[in-house]
Amino acid sequence: MLLRVILSPEDIRRVTLEDVPSSVDDLCAKLRNTLGLRGNFILQFEDSDFGNQLCNLTDIKELPAERATLKVLFTSSEVVSDSTLDIVSFDSPSSSQSTEWPDPFVVPAFSHDVEYQLRAANDAYAQDKTVMVISKGVKSEILDRLADIISKITAYPNKDHYESVAKALVAKHPCLKEPGSGRGWYCWVFSLRFKMGNYRQRMMAAGCPEVLVNKRKRGEENHKPVKKSKKGEIHYLPEPPEGQTTGKSEKDRNTMALEVQKKDSDLQLLGELMIATFSQRRKEIIGDEPLISAVMERWPALFGQRQLCAEFSRIVTKDLLKSLLEGLDAMVPSLLEAYKAAVASGRRSAMSGVLQCLQKEDTNQNRRTAALLGLPIFFAEDSSNVIRMCDAHGETLDVILKGMQVGLLIGHEGPLLDSFPLEVFNVAVVVEEKIILHDLRDVPTGFAMLMGAIYCLNLEYPRNMKYSFEFLQKVIMTIKPDQCSARIHGLRNKLLRYHL
């Protein structure tokens, strides 16, 4: 199938597909890989029944059999909203940003001469299982093309990514299987790893932010951790929008700093400026790793519930509050059943205090709170430096915040007689012994904002509660859910049995 694909008035591509896609989704996946498209989009086609006017493509049968003209329309990502205001998330035009890994990986078309050689070799393999003797030029062409496609998805693919590419390659071109190899694709994994290492050097020389941030300075230690997307970030370190120079970003930042000091700030203006300066902010936070006090001084607009939700959506393309609260509500019954079973078995007797709070006042909000605060107890984790209760008339803040690097402060009035206060008057997010966000209405909202702060400030999960936060990310919020640790995978399966 021959396609004329309109990306923009200035960018119209000619694409040849070897076979007709089975569905519209299949066609979108092929175009996404062939053209390196990112973000959400729909396809329109020229409909001959209406004088070649554009119509949305909903069924692959609507396309002409041999050749067609398509237009790609990019759509906004999910809408982030707080209680009263909606904010459209950031949609970066970056050519090197991370995106969802395609499953299955679609092997792109190679140059015409390489495709011709592969076609002939595939025919020979089909007849007598003869594998292709790959010349250096052909192998280089294949690896270069694959590395180009991979880099448009992520500059730092993991083991599973490499294996999915190698499997897809030999599945499409069986003549490329390795003789004497049980799997038939294992050496392709090593070749891809080596090629991607070289490709990252080229991307670094070209100034790609995602790899430039890991450039070692002279005399720097070699074992410094690589800065890359680790918690499912889609826009981890995006390129700036077209025309947004460093000087303009700094000017916009100064405008925001003045605007946020006003009694009635222009929320729309702040939102637009936060989108424009997103790339610069991520570059500073990830590249320079400043103290939280420096970030609060330079980007004060970030430290409010509205902009924290919007920033999270720009990074992960998910609604912060919605993903946590809806995911939590779906898991609360199963979690509470697991807690009761743990108490009954005598393995987690400390959990009984959390469950007793529900016997006094079994509301939906308290059930959410019990499910969240019960996680570290269930995983036998020490939450003392992450989650702290604070009596409004008790110790001073300096004493309470001491030792809290990342966590939640839950405020209540009067002595705390239960495992958690049934009436909360204030919840605050704490980073580096500083309150960065307060006046949150309840504990579940506090957990959502804490997750938002971790993503927006590129923080690591507290080591003492790593399983609890992994559960929140991968099971509750379903961010990178397919890469759970064995412990989280086991709990998720147990909860599914309770649900059934």
Side-chain angles (χ1 to χ4, degrees), residues 194-455:
F194 186 77
K195 175 59 70 173
M196 277 303 298
N198 290 338
Y199 208 83
R200 280 193 291 269
Q201 294 297 321
R202 291 161 59 182
M203 293 169 68
M204 187 177 293
C208 174
E210 192 176 358
V211 293
L212 199 59
V213 73
N214 291 308
K215 185 176 182 179
R216 290 196 299 268
K217 298 176 182 178
R218 184 172 296 178
E220 206 169 42
E221 296 180 353
N222 290 337
H223 58 269
K224 187 178 179 181
V226 174
K227 296 174 182 177
K228 61 180 181 178
S229 172
K230 298 176 182 177
K231 298 189 291 290
E233 298 94 339
I234 303 299
H235 300 136
Y236 180 69
L237 196 56
E239 294 176 6
E242 188 174 349
Q244 186 73 18
T245 63
T246 304
K248 189 175 185 305
S249 292
E250 186 63 19
K251 183 179 179 181
D252 289 343
R253 187 194 66 79
N254 289 328
T255 302
M256 276 195 297
L258 294 174
E259 186 66 32
V260 81
Q261 294 175 14
K262 297 178 181 178
K263 183 178 180 181
D264 296 316
S265 301
D266 187 335
L267 297 179
Q268 183 176 349
L269 174 63
L270 285 176
E272 292 171 355
L273 293 176
M274 286 290 285
I275 291 174
T277 56
F278 176 53
S279 174
Q280 180 65 26
R281 191 163 50 256
R282 294 296 291 172
K283 182 179 178 181
E284 289 182 13
I285 289 173
I286 296 171
D288 300 338
E289 300 181 352
L291 295 174
I292 188 61
S293 55
V295 181
M296 294 179 73
E297 182 180 348
R298 282 186 58 78
W299 305 100
L302 177 61
F303 297 91
Q305 185 171 338
R306 177 189 175 95
Q307 289 303 332
L308 199 67
C309 286
E311 188 87 343
F312 178 86
S313 181
R314 286 188 280 269
I315 296 169
V316 187
T317 68
K318 272 183 177 283
D319 186 310
L320 176 56
L321 277 170
K322 182 180 178 181
S323 62
L324 188 136
L325 295 181
E326 289 188 357
L328 179 62
D329 287 340
M331 286 290 175
V332 160
S334 299
L335 275 173
L336 294 180
E337 287 297 322
Y339 294 170
K340 291 174 184 176
V343 171
S345 67
R347 292 183 294 107
R348 297 289 184 268
S349 56
M351 187 75 75
S352 58
V354 173
L355 297 175
Q356 286 170 8
C357 291
L358 295 181
Q359 295 176 1
K360 294 183 178 181
E361 194 172 330
D362 191 1
T363 64
N364 183 52
Q365 203 64 266
N366 285 340
R367 289 168 68 85
R368 287 174 168 178
T369 301
L372 290 168
L373 297 182
L375 282 175
I377 302 174
F378 186 84
F379 288 119
E381 295 176 319
D382 180 11
S383 63
S384 59
N385 285 335
V386 182
I387 302 171
R388 289 184 181 174
M389 311 295 171
C390 171
D391 182 359
H393 308 292
E395 299 174 300
T396 61
L397 275 179
D398 289 343
V399 175
I400 296 171
L401 297 176
K402 190 172 181 61
M404 291 187 71
Q405 290 303 305
V406 179
L408 277 185
L409 195 60
I410 303 171
H412 61 91
E413 291 197 39
L416 182 61
L417 303 177
D418 302 300
S419 292
F420 63 85
L422 299 178
E423 292 187 9
V424 174
F425 78 88
N426 196 340
V427 179
V429 177
V430 179
V431 176
E432 295 176 9
E433 301 184 357
K434 290 182 180 294
I435 292 178
I436 65 167
L437 186 63
H438 59 91
D439 290 335
L440 303 175
R441 60 180 179 267
D442 51 58
V443 173
T445 302
F447 268 93
M449 294 304 112
L450 177 58
M451 288 296 291
I454 288 173
Y455 274 85

Side-chain angles (χ1 to χ4, degrees), residues 12 20 27 34 40 48 77 113 161 168 198 222 238 331 360 373 375 398 410 447 468:
I12 302 175
V20 178
L27 175 59
T34 303
N40 300 323
S48 58
S77 300
D113 63 311
H161 295 158
N198 290 338
N222 290 337
M331 286 290 175
K360 294 183 178 181
L373 297 182
L375 282 175
D398 289 343
I410 303 171
F447 268 93
S468 294

Side-chain angles (χ1 to χ4, degrees), residues 123-137:
D123 291 341
Y125 182 86
Q127 292 179 1
D128 54 16
K129 302 298 181 183
T130 302
V131 296
M132 181 181 183
V133 178
I134 309 172
S135 67
K136 184 177 180 181

Side-chain angles (χ1 to χ4, degrees), residues 136-182:
K136 184 177 180 181
V138 169
K139 186 170 185 179
S140 179
E141 157 77 16
I142 292 172
L143 292 174
D144 278 335
R145 185 75 177 105
L146 292 174
D148 181 58
I149 296 298
I150 292 171
S151 68
K152 290 173 181 176
I153 305 171
T154 175
Y156 296 97
N158 59 33
K159 177 176 177 287
D160 293 336
H161 295 158
Y162 284 121
E163 289 187 357
S164 73
V165 177
K167 288 178 185 177
L169 178 64
V170 299
K172 183 176 181 180
H173 300 293
C175 64
L176 297 178
K177 287 184 178 180
E178 303 149 4
S181 170

